[in-house]
Amino acid sequence: GAVVSQHPSWVICKSGTSVKIECRSLDFQATTMFWYRQFPKQSLMLMATSNEGSKATYEQGVEKDKFLINHASLTLSTLTVTSAHPEDSSFYICSARTRPYEQYFGPGTRLTVT
Amino acid sequence: AQTVTQSQPEMSVQEAETVTLSCTYDTSENNYYLFWYKQPPSRQMILVIRQEAYKQQNATENRFSVNFQKAAKSFSLKISDSQLGDTAMYFCALSNTDKLIFGTGTRLQVFP
């Protein structure tokens, strides 16, 4: 149980375009999901908390207009990187809360902006 | 502010041996949870073990156990009978809300 998937696992896009990453909880419902960003050989940095049916809560310093989050159902949250630039290239990881204080993570999405 | 510190950037251990990864944290909260996550080369984050701060008994999961010292704000992970598959980044994390605060990680290499 507690499986979280992400799609795509790897994406290359051109500078100025937008890309959408999906995060799904496969065998449970998740009212809360989280989006993280991880640079090479670094730790995970929380970008935002995604709540089903309401607006996401962004961490300080994260541009909400660049990183659009939509949590339209209890099993799906999406992260759209708008007008992507090379500095947005990173590894993006989502997680879903299964019970208080516990999160299970998706396999991550590697984004490369050329 | 809450912080998590992992002072060992890299560790190595021989297969079948025991290794301990260190973690210290700081929080003003009385109720919180502590976690160890493993990130192998696939980069999939895997929950290794979890400890509730109100529980005095140290958590164990098969070959993995913790030494939780609440007063010292220390939360170390002991891996017994190390296996090659234990090679990974290990992150210590703290939560007193839904948010996880991660340490910088310890890269563990298990040698045959």
Side-chain angles (χ1 to χ4, degrees):
Chain A
V3 179
V4 178
S5 71
Q6 272 185 251
H7 178 79
S9 57
W10 181 50
V11 59
I12 300 175
C13 70
K14 292 188 177 180
S15 188
T17 62
S18 295
V19 61
K20 180 185 288 188
I21 302 170
E22 293 185 348
C23 177
R24 292 181 186 274
S25 56
L26 298 185
D27 51 0
F28 64 98
Q29 294 182 330
T31 56
T32 303
M33 292 184 175
F34 303 88
W35 287 96
Y36 296 85
R37 184 173 182 176
Q38 186 179 31
F39 291 105
K41 297 186 178 181
Q42 292 189 23
S43 189
L44 280 70
M45 180 191 77
L46 178 65
M47 299 174 65
T49 302
S50 170
N51 295 298
E52 187 267 337
S54 64
K55 291 183 178 180
T57 303
Y58 291 82
E59 294 300 301
Q60 190 173 7
V62 177
E63 298 176 61
K64 59 182 66 177
D65 293 331
K66 167 167 272 302
F67 299 101
L68 299 179
I69 292 171
N70 187 354
H71 195 154
S73 78
L74 287 171
T75 59
L76 173 64
S77 175
T78 60
L79 169 68
T80 301
V81 183
T82 63
S83 186
H85 291 284
E87 58 266 29
D88 299 324
S89 298
S90 190
F91 192 67
Y92 293 89
I93 306 175
C94 74
S95 71
R97 188 185 70 179
T98 54
R99 54 175 171 161
Y101 308 104
E102 192 163 283
Q103 300 178 27
Y104 283 85
F105 288 80
T109 297
R110 182 182 302 278
L111 170 63
T112 301
V113 184
T114 61
Chain B
Q2 298 181 106
T3 59
V4 177
T5 302
Q6 293 180 251
S7 59
Q8 305 155 315
E10 295 185 357
M11 294 279 286
S12 62
V13 64
Q14 196 154 25
E15 200 175 6
E17 296 296 311
T18 295
V19 64
T20 299
L21 308 183
S22 301
C23 173
T24 59
Y25 61 93
D26 192 22
T27 179
S28 58
E29 301 293 329
N30 199 38
N31 295 321
Y32 52 90
Y33 292 71
L34 294 160
F35 304 86
W36 279 97
Y37 281 91
K38 168 185 177 182
Q39 188 178 42
S42 67
R43 302 190 78 172
Q44 169 75 62
M45 294 287 285
I46 300 166
L47 176 64
V48 174
I49 200 163
R50 147 191 168 129
Q51 173 82 42
E52 293 91 336
Y54 63 85
K55 289 187 177 179
Q56 292 185 343
Q57 188 173 4
N58 289 324
T60 63
E61 286 288 343
N62 301 313
R63 297 182 296 108
F64 300 88
S65 62
V66 298
N67 184 2
F68 174 46
Q69 301 291 326
K70 190 172 184 178
K73 294 184 178 176
S74 171
F75 183 62
S76 61
L77 174 69
K78 185 172 82 171
I79 305 174
S80 304
D81 186 26
S82 297
Q83 300 176 358
L84 296 177
D86 295 334
T87 292
M89 280 290 290
Y90 286 81
F91 292 100
C92 179
L94 163 71
S95 176
N96 74 323
T97 61
D98 276 340
K99 294 184 183 180
L100 279 170
I101 299 166
F102 287 94
T104 51
T106 296
R107 182 173 301 278
L108 176 66
Q109 179 73 51
V110 180
F111 291 97

